[in-house]
């Protein structure tokens, strides 16, 4: 398998008359070694069905095809989705192991392929919603590595009582444990973005409850972080019909009503939601 470097990426883009779109977060990786490293970090093996979101011109896709049993790539840009199987035929001995789907990742409801591992350089502007959506709708995804804007990576992997801890951290924790997996230089992209990037890896864990509980937990999380500086009893007052009622629910759940959302881990949010569901 020959991977794509800077000159191949530029030549491919020129042949497609492609001007990278900012709104679609089109910053293509031009360093084959980085692509191999990402695939290694994700621990992809020959039994894995790998899911890639936003394969672009195929840098990471070809590296994934070297290791995975098969690769499913979901790309919103039809020009890129049309070109990718052609590129795979030119560079891989097993182009039939790649399936390209021309779709918005946020509209995925299910996939016929039961992907086991997610490996993606996610489009920056939708990285959090896409990541959370995939965890929600694709329960066969057990692990993965995604490249995102550095600040977003820090938020996804953040622990309570830190500045970075917020809605993405605690919602991701419902499905998975998420950890930082290193920084990536701006120089490996074309065009070079004006933000730094980092990798995060995740491993799915058993969810703390069913869909009814998750919806309630997520509604509480949204309220708790809507105004970060508010104490929980006032942040949740609209949900429980006043701060006195919210205080009662919090106390019954064993949570100090004067805390702020940033102090609670996912287990504590679940305790509040369970209390609310029971009362
Ligand atoms: N994986 C390629 C690489 O590393 O060189 C390209 C990554 S680029 C940061 C993001 C890719 O996601 C682009 O190809 C873009 O067209 C695609 N994309 C943007 N929004 C998308 C969405 N909602 N669903 C699927 N693909 C999307």
């Amino acid at each position: 398998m020959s991977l794509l470097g800077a000159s191949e990426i530029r030549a491919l883009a020129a042949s497609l008359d492609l001007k990278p779109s900012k709104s679609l977060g089109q910053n293509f990786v031009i360093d084959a070694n980085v692509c191999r490293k990402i695939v290694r970090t994700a621990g992809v093996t020959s039994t894995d069905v790998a899911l890639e979101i936003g394969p672009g011109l195929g840098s990471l896709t070809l590296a994934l095809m070297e290791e995975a049993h098969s690769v499913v790539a979901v790309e919103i840009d039809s020009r890129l989705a049309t070109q990718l199987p052609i590129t795979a035929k030119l560079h891989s001995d097993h182009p039939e192991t790649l399936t390209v789907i021309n779709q918005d990742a946020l509209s995925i409801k299910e996939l016929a392929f039961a992907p086991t591992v997610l490996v993606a350089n996610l489009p920056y502007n939708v990285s959090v919603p896409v990541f959370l959506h995939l965890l929600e709708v694709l329960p066969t995804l057990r692990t993965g590595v995604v490249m995102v804007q550095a600040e977003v990576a820090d938020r996804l992997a953040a622990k309570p009582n830190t500045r970075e801890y917020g809605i993405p951290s605690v919602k991701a924790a419902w499905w998975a444990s998420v950890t930082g997996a290193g920084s990536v230089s701006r120089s490996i992209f074309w065009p070079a973005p004006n933000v730094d990037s980092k990798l995060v890896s995740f491993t799915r864990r058993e969810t703390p409850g069913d869909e009814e509980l998750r919806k309630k937990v997520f509604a509480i999380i949204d309220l708790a972080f809507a105004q970060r500086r508010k104490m929980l009893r006032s942040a949740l007052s609209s949900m429980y019909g006043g701060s006195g009622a919210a205080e009662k629910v919090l106390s019954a759940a064993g949570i100090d009503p004067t805390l702020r959302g940033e102090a609670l881990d996912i287990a504590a949010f679940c305790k509040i939601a369970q209390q609310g569901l029971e009362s």
Side-chain angles (χ1 to χ4, degrees), residues 240 244-255 271-273 275-276 279:
Y240 295 110
E247 182 157 352
K248 266 192 199 149
V249 172
L250 288 159
S251 298
I255 309 288
K271 279 189 195 154
I272 304 170
Q275 199 59 43
S279 59

Side-chain angles (χ1 to χ4, degrees), residues 24-29 52 54-56 59 75-76 103-105 121 123:
L24 291 179
Q26 291 180 341
N27 301 94
F28 303 110
V29 176
E52 184 185 4
S59 326
E75 171 59 60
I76 199 169
Q103 191 179 339
D104 179 348
N121 173 12

Side-chain angles (χ1 to χ4, degrees), residues 205-222:
R205 64 193 198 96
E206 200 180 323
T207 55
D210 59 14
E211 264 303 283
E212 189 191 9
L213 183 69
R214 184 187 69 77
K215 287 195 177 127
K216 183 86 187 177
V217 168
F218 279 26
I220 294 172
I221 292 167
D222 287 336

Side-chain angles (χ1 to χ4, degrees), residues 11 26 31 39 45 56 62 69 71 76 78 82 85 87 109 134 165 192 211 263 271:
Q26 291 180 341
D31 185 326
V39 173
T45 72
L62 295 177
H69 170 269
V71 176
I76 199 169
S78 57
T82 306
T87 305
K109 299 233 159 46
L134 297 174
Y165 190 67
E211 264 303 283
K271 279 189 195 154

Side-chain angles (χ1 to χ4, degrees), residues 7 12 22 67-68 72 75-76 113 116 118 158 161 186 213:
S7 51
L12 256 174
K22 255 197 174 169
E67 302 299 334
V72 184
E75 171 59 60
I76 199 169
F113 302 91
T116 53
L118 170 67
N161 290 314
R186 290 180 193 197
L213 183 69

